[in-house]
Amino acid sequence: MLIAVAAAKGSPGVTTTARVLASVWPQDVVLADCDPAGGDVALLGRGPGGAVLDPDRGLLSLAADARRGLAADALSGHLQYLDGGLPVLVGVSNPDQVTGIGPAWPALAAAFSGLPGTDVVVDCGRVTPGTPVLPVLGAADVLLLVVRARLESYAHLRERLRWLATVHTGAGTGPAVGVVVVTEARDTNAVRALSQLLAHEGLGTPVLGRIAEDRRAADALAGRADHGIGRSLLARSARLLVSPIRELAASHDFAHLRS
Ligand SMILES: Nc1ncnc2c1ncn2[C@@H]1O[C@H](COP(=O)(O)OP(=O)(O)O)[C@@H](O)[C@H]1O
Ligand SMILES: [Mg+2]
């Protein structure tokens, strides 16, 4: 399964959400950093023993190989491992490098979605019209849009959902889209409130759940603190999203088979 994670606007916590989801995912998983604005995994992540990751091995080296065609397991040769064992595809260090990937995006998308027995969580940054990662979104089973629980975030989300409904992302039916709200742990109403708002606007996009605002755990994921996150509110909220994400993907497949 290919799970794309993105934002409509701003910096609501896409990288953090993708990272924590990958770290609690109950199946073999790869975290791929495809943010066209420049990746964070190489900057913030550390390998075993605190080793710095190699910025040249990842998305760019995979894209270079893609010019010669990619085998089904091509991704594995370009992965690095975070301390704790999570396999990551390191992103670009600056946005200029994305231009060079241009024609390779469809092959990269195929490499992500065709990885045998392994799910791939892709950090896609912001989904804006003209984003080069559109082929990845088109190949995704699920697109998770991350928002903060604020009215202005909801307004941008609504516009982006309308735009997504009109865009042709490439082959296939496109991803099943679901929303994830980043909220304070004690805010138990945000999911219901946003669901009602979207329904009221005639948008059937499901709000799958929430990611807890948890500064301590987010700092650990961003390399600003050195402690585990296994029992944190952040990790617990991410675990609760696993089933809704899988169910969304399954219901989308089913609807597609029947149509
Ligand atoms: N769930 C969260 N709880 C607390 N802080 C968060 C959370 N998600 C993100 N942050 C913080 O917000 C900032 C932006 O997060 P990041 O994941 O890099 O966002 P994006 O990828 O959308 O730009 C970072 O400082 C990060 O630590
Ligand atoms: Mg990010």
Side-chain angles (χ1 to χ4, degrees):
M1 172 156 64
L2 173 46
I3 303 162
V5 187
K9 194 179 177 217
S11 192
V14 172
T15 298
T16 305
T17 300
R19 173 86 182 271
V20 70
L21 259 183
S23 64
V24 303
W25 200 249
Q27 196 177 321
D28 285 349
V29 70
V30 165
L31 174 64
D33 187 345
C34 291
D35 186 342
D40 281 324
V41 166
L43 296 176
L44 308 177
R46 288 289 173 268
V52 175
L53 300 181
D54 176 358
D56 296 326
R57 187 150 135 243
L59 186 60
L60 275 184
S61 57
L62 179 66
D65 272 10
R67 296 196 191 106
R68 296 184 289 275
L70 288 178
D73 63 347
L75 194 55
S76 49
H78 299 272
L79 298 175
Q80 301 184 60
Y81 294 85
L82 294 184
D83 198 17
L86 179 67
V88 293
L89 184 73
V90 164
V92 296
S93 2
N94 75 65
D96 288 349
Q97 295 171 320
V98 173
T99 323
I101 299 180
W105 281 111
L108 299 178
F112 297 154
S113 60
L115 203 63
T118 302
D119 292 333
V120 182
V121 175
V122 188
D123 181 342
C124 293
R126 292 177 200 166
V127 211
T128 49
T131 175
V133 301
L134 217 49
V136 176
L137 302 180
D141 297 282
V142 172
L143 166 60
L144 298 180
L145 287 176
V146 180
V147 284
R148 291 272 171 169
R150 292 190 201 113
L151 277 179
E152 69 273 21
S153 307
Y154 293 170
H156 293 296
L157 171 71
R158 202 172 52 205
E159 293 318 310
R160 211 45 48 84
L161 287 171
R162 293 218 168 93
W163 172 75
L164 274 169
T166 64
V167 74
H168 187 61
T169 45
T173 52
V177 182
V179 176
V180 172
V181 198
V182 180
T183 62
E184 284 180 26
R186 61 175 183 273
D187 177 0
T188 51
N189 194 39
V191 169
R192 194 158 37 111
L194 180 55
S195 299
Q196 284 171 353
L197 186 90
L198 293 179
H200 184 70
E201 300 275 344
L203 292 159
T205 315
V207 184
L208 300 183
R210 63 202 194 100
I211 282 286
E213 241 180 79
D214 179 348
R215 168 67 47 201
R216 197 176 132 80
D219 281 351
L221 281 184
R224 293 186 290 255
D226 190 16
H227 51 77
I229 61 145
R231 293 150 68 101
S232 65
L233 287 173
L234 181 60
R236 291 200 318 239
S237 63
R239 281 189 201 101
L240 291 177
L241 281 171
V242 172
S243 294
I245 291 171
R246 285 176 156 167
E247 282 158 22
L248 178 65
S251 66
H252 193 58
D253 280 355
F254 186 61
H256 177 45
L257 283 176
R258 288 200 311 176
S259 64

